[in-house]
Amino acid sequence: MALPANFLDELRARTPIAAVIGRSVKLSRSSRDWKGCCPFHGEKTPSFYVYDDHYHCFGCGEHGDVITFVMKTTGASFMEAVEDLAAQAGLDVPKPSPQAAQAEARRASLSEVLEAALKEYQLWLWGQEGRAALDYLRRRGLADDTIRRFQLGWSGEGRGQLAAALRGHNIMPDQLIEAGLMKQGERGSADMFFGRVMFPIRDRRGALISFGGRIMGDGQPKYVNGPETALFSKRRSLYGLNLAREAVRKGARMIVVEGYMDVIALSQAGFGGAVAPLGTSLTEEHLEEIWKLTPEPVICFDGDMAGQRAALKTAELALTQLTPEKSLKLLRLPPKDDPDSLIKRGGKQAFEAELVKAQPLSAVLFDMLKAGQDLATPEGRARFRQRLTDAANSIPDKMLAGEYRTALMDSFFAGRQRPAAGRGFAKGRFTPSPPPVLLPPRSAPDPSAAQVRRARLMLAILLAFPALIPEVEEAFARVTLPDVDEPLREALHGFVSQAKTLDSASLFTHLGSLGLGEQARALQTQANVEFRLAQDASPAEAVRNWWSLYELMDFSIDMLRMQRDEAQAFWLANPQDRAACDRLIRYNQLLERARSGAAGVEEF
């Protein structure tokens, strides 16, 4: 038996094709897509491209979807490939049965019913009875070509008008009810839509799955979407996705807006990558669908309070799915504006001017979480800090979560302390000013020079013992290095995120590929001579020395307390993580020594 089309669509949607192909083909990012050397013919220059739902080799012409790839690379039959992918996606393959065959036949029948209704709606819009609706769309600024491209229609005014029109096509009211075009009431069946401009809703492949309708004027509800059916699920469907996919592949920005008219207005103005949810907030399924097309979509919300609430809800949902490869930007329009009204007032240039203001989630999350918080009391500040910690901990990628925790807490403490001249924000990190120190009238050590020497020695220890990096990485991010050494710190971070083994030889190979090998060797030579860094030290000795240097850095007690709290929150969320437990112990020790006055700025 042929498998149901909806099951195969669900299987493809739940199986990221790039992840499947990436198991056997080394892929690298190419704009919004992926590329690699073709597995079907020998080549040295990549000509094999992987898109959101298919692959294509421009060298040999091989082409297909994720099921085809598994079949061709493993020799599996169609059913074997489907069963393998379904097991990975957590789906049950439908068993052959008369009921399954009937369900598939009903789905095909529903598609035919919807297409027949669409033809009637379009005929009515362009006929005499739809003149008022057509004039309304033109007054809203839509060109006739745009109205035809989006296949807009008119539902008619009379109840039962659609059923009467389709009766000649042997389509009965019970079929219209099943398709979501009519509803059963106490007095019999009635049209779901009447007196409304009609918007066809299509799935990602362009199949018609439902309709939405907008009333002309100020009545309520302004918009009505079709009900859930065998074809239509609101939490999985995005208006305009079938058209946006093609536009995004050609280089358009993907922009998520709030409504039908926003999508159409943006498309008409040249922003073809616009989509909108259908009467719901963005869902996990929506974000997954969007991220298949682009790693960083722009989420555009209206400038009113409802838009701000929707933006925060979307941001908090996105955090639970964020990875280093998947993020988003947020664009807040001016108050009382939406994309449709903005374009109508100022044209394409007005929206372009706003679009360039879109900011990464990491840049706006703190202010979004801060809105409405009471920070006037210790209790309120504590609640806010907990909210910041919870937001960062909701990110599944531990390294990315650590970066967000650092950024959020830096912003929190930056708002409470005024940095002295020449200090403060440096390369995105907040460095608190040390307390004033009264020096005796004699030659004294230079604390700033000592700070630099300690920081460089800490870096040299990590170059010699890269296996220590995961344990100290978050703490090291707060250490101020000379500008010349910042590229080495960034290179260590990149090495840990991709290396299979954390040994010094692999690290220096990585540094050499970045052009940093000579600089790293020079620093090690200086450490061996000036700092007497022992080459035969054990990792345990090295990490003890590293933390000993760290406690001599001029951090305030507030900063150490914040670091301890972050480490504690992370350990509570990951109680089996031994390194997290060790970090928490270290921070408690450092904080206790600082409170007792045992740690301070000393000559190294």
Side-chain angles (χ1 to χ4, degrees):
M1 150 188 128
L3 290 171
N6 65 319
F7 166 75
L8 294 177
D9 286 343
E10 177 76 3
L11 177 61
R12 295 183 184 103
R14 287 210 198 177
T15 309
I17 187 171
V20 173
I21 294 178
R23 296 171 193 159
S24 55
V25 178
K26 186 176 180 180
L27 299 176
S28 60
R29 270 285 182 190
S30 176
S31 185
R32 294 171 171 82
D33 307 310
W34 300 85
K35 68 178 180 179
C37 291
C38 180
F40 303 110
H41 79 285
E43 63 176 8
K44 294 182 179 179
T45 302
S47 60
F48 181 78
Y49 283 76
V50 181
Y51 305 98
D52 66 300
D53 62 352
H54 71 282
Y55 63 87
H56 181 82
C57 178
F58 291 91
C60 67
E62 282 288 350
H63 180 96
D65 63 10
V66 66
I67 300 173
T68 308
F69 182 83
V70 173
M71 292 171 63
K72 290 186 175 181
T73 55
T74 66
S77 67
F78 175 79
M79 282 303 300
E80 288 171 339
V82 167
E83 289 170 354
D84 179 37
L85 293 171
Q88 297 175 40
L91 293 173
D92 293 325
V93 180
K95 302 297 182 185
S97 70
Q99 293 79 10
Q102 290 171 6
E104 182 60 18
R106 281 199 305 274
R107 284 178 55 84
S109 174
L110 293 183
S111 296
E112 294 173 359
V113 170
L114 291 170
E115 290 290 354
L118 175 59
K119 290 179 181 178
E120 295 297 328
Y121 291 149
Q122 288 181 292
L123 283 173
W124 294 341
L125 177 69
W126 295 97
Q128 184 61 38
E129 62 187 299
R131 181 58 57 87
L134 186 59
D135 289 344
Y136 165 78
L137 291 172
R138 288 168 174 167
R139 287 197 305 272
R140 293 289 302 263
L142 300 188
D144 286 0
D145 286 347
T146 300
I147 295 171
R148 288 191 172 94
R149 188 160 73 91
F150 281 88
Q151 298 182 299
L152 305 187
W154 169 245
S155 68
E157 291 283 3
R159 296 175 183 265
Q161 187 173 344
L162 181 63
L166 296 181
R167 193 169 292 118
H169 298 276
N170 295 319
I171 295 175
M172 297 296 105
D174 60 333
Q175 293 174 283
L176 295 175
I177 292 172
E178 192 173 3
L181 296 171
M182 295 186 74
K183 55 187 175 181
Q184 188 68 46
E186 294 180 359
R187 299 181 181 180
S189 57
D191 288 8
M192 178 66 69
F193 306 99
F194 56 90
R196 291 180 181 271
V197 174
M198 299 301 292
F199 298 81
I201 300 169
R202 297 185 178 275
D203 66 14
R204 65 201 302 269
R205 298 177 182 275
L208 185 58
I209 55 177
S210 189
F211 288 92
R214 190 199 193 283
I215 197 168
M216 293 190 300
D218 299 324
Q220 293 295 329
K222 185 182 294 185
Y223 286 97
V224 171
N225 291 304
E228 300 277 318
T229 68
L231 294 177
F232 179 50
S233 169
K234 292 179 184 178
R235 66 178 296 104
R236 298 181 181 278
S237 305
L238 289 162
Y239 182 70
L241 182 61
N242 59 310
L243 299 175
R245 287 175 68 209
E246 197 60 36
V248 170
R249 285 175 182 169
K250 293 179 180 178
R253 292 295 301 271
M254 186 155 212
I255 307 169
V256 183
V257 292
E258 293 192 27
Y260 303 114
M261 290 302 297
D262 294 326
V263 170
I264 298 173
L266 284 170
S267 178
Q268 181 172 273
F271 303 94
V275 297
L278 295 156
T280 68
S281 302
L282 281 177
T283 65
E284 292 182 12
E285 291 84 355
H286 289 150
L287 287 174
E288 288 173 4
E289 195 70 57
I290 291 165
W291 275 322
K292 288 177 184 176
L293 293 173
T294 181
E296 195 175 47
V298 175
I299 312 296
C300 175
F301 290 100
D302 297 350
D304 56 16
M305 289 301 298
Q308 293 180 46
R309 289 192 296 270
L312 177 58
K313 187 174 182 179
T314 296
E316 291 177 329
L317 175 64
L319 289 174
T320 66
Q321 301 179 71
L322 223 56
T323 72
E325 290 78 35
K326 294 190 308 186
S327 188
L328 50 83
K329 286 189 172 183
L330 291 166
L331 171 60
R332 181 183 173 188
L333 296 180
K336 298 183 180 180
D337 255 327
D338 56 36
D340 182 28
S341 64
L342 185 62
I343 290 172
K344 192 177 298 181
R345 189 178 70 251
K348 179 179 181 179
Q349 296 76 12
F351 189 79
E352 282 181 334
E354 294 298 326
L355 189 57
V356 298
K357 300 176 185 177
Q359 294 181 285
L361 175 60
S362 58
V364 298
L365 182 60
F366 179 85
D367 287 335
M368 294 174 72
L369 295 172
K370 183 180 177 182
Q373 298 294 306
D374 174 18
L375 304 183
T377 65
E379 293 83 0
R381 290 191 294 274
R383 285 193 299 271
F384 179 46
R385 283 181 60 181
Q386 186 61 52
R387 189 180 190 191
L388 297 176
T389 301
D390 290 344
N393 287 345
S394 68
I395 301 173
D397 185 283
K398 292 184 179 179
M399 188 171 295
L400 186 59
E403 291 293 328
Y404 266 79
R405 274 195 302 275
T406 299
L408 291 172
M409 289 302 172
D410 283 353
S411 296
F412 178 83
F413 280 97
R416 297 184 60 191
Q417 301 186 37
R418 178 176 296 177
R423 300 185 65 82
F425 286 97
K427 294 189 178 298
R429 298 179 179 84
F430 180 75
T431 308
S433 302
V437 178
L438 297 176
L439 298 177
R442 59 181 176 80
S443 178
D446 181 355
S448 298
Q451 288 281 97
V452 171
R453 296 176 70 195
R454 293 188 196 104
R456 303 198 78 211
L457 179 53
M458 293 162 76
L459 176 57
I461 290 174
L462 297 183
L463 291 172
F465 298 91
L468 306 181
I469 298 173
E471 178 180 343
V472 304
E473 188 172 20
E474 288 187 36
F476 192 43
R478 305 177 190 283
V479 173
T480 301
L481 281 170
D483 287 347
V484 69
D485 291 327
E486 277 294 342
L488 285 175
R489 170 158 43 199
E490 296 301 322
L492 292 183
H493 175 77
F495 172 72
V496 170
S497 66
Q498 65 183 27
K500 294 182 178 178
T501 56
L502 300 181
D503 59 87
S504 193
S506 300
L507 172 59
F508 272 82
T509 299
H510 175 71
L511 294 174
S513 70
L514 300 175
L516 298 172
E518 290 302 320
Q519 180 180 343
R521 278 186 280 273
L523 177 59
Q524 279 204 315
T525 299
Q526 180 183 3
N528 294 339
V529 175
E530 183 177 349
F531 303 133
R532 299 181 182 87
L533 180 62
Q535 290 298 294
D536 57 351
S538 69
E541 292 172 320
V543 76
R544 281 197 299 270
N545 289 335
W546 195 96
W547 283 108
S548 296
L549 290 163
Y550 186 78
E551 76 175 67
L552 294 176
M553 304 302 283
D554 60 346
F555 295 116
S556 69
I557 289 181
D558 272 350
M559 179 64 76
L560 287 172
R561 186 182 294 112
M562 181 268 288
Q563 293 172 314
R564 188 276 314 276
D565 291 349
E566 286 182 8
Q568 180 171 295
F570 185 80
W571 175 72
L572 289 173
N574 303 273
Q576 305 304 318
D577 190 327
R578 181 62 193 175
C581 179
D582 290 342
R583 278 197 299 274
L584 177 58
I585 292 172
R586 294 281 186 189
Y587 281 127
N588 275 321
Q589 291 172 341
L590 293 176
L591 184 58
E592 186 59 34
R593 287 172 62 82
R595 284 170 173 159
S596 65
V601 179
E602 304 172 13
E603 169 71 323
F604 173 71

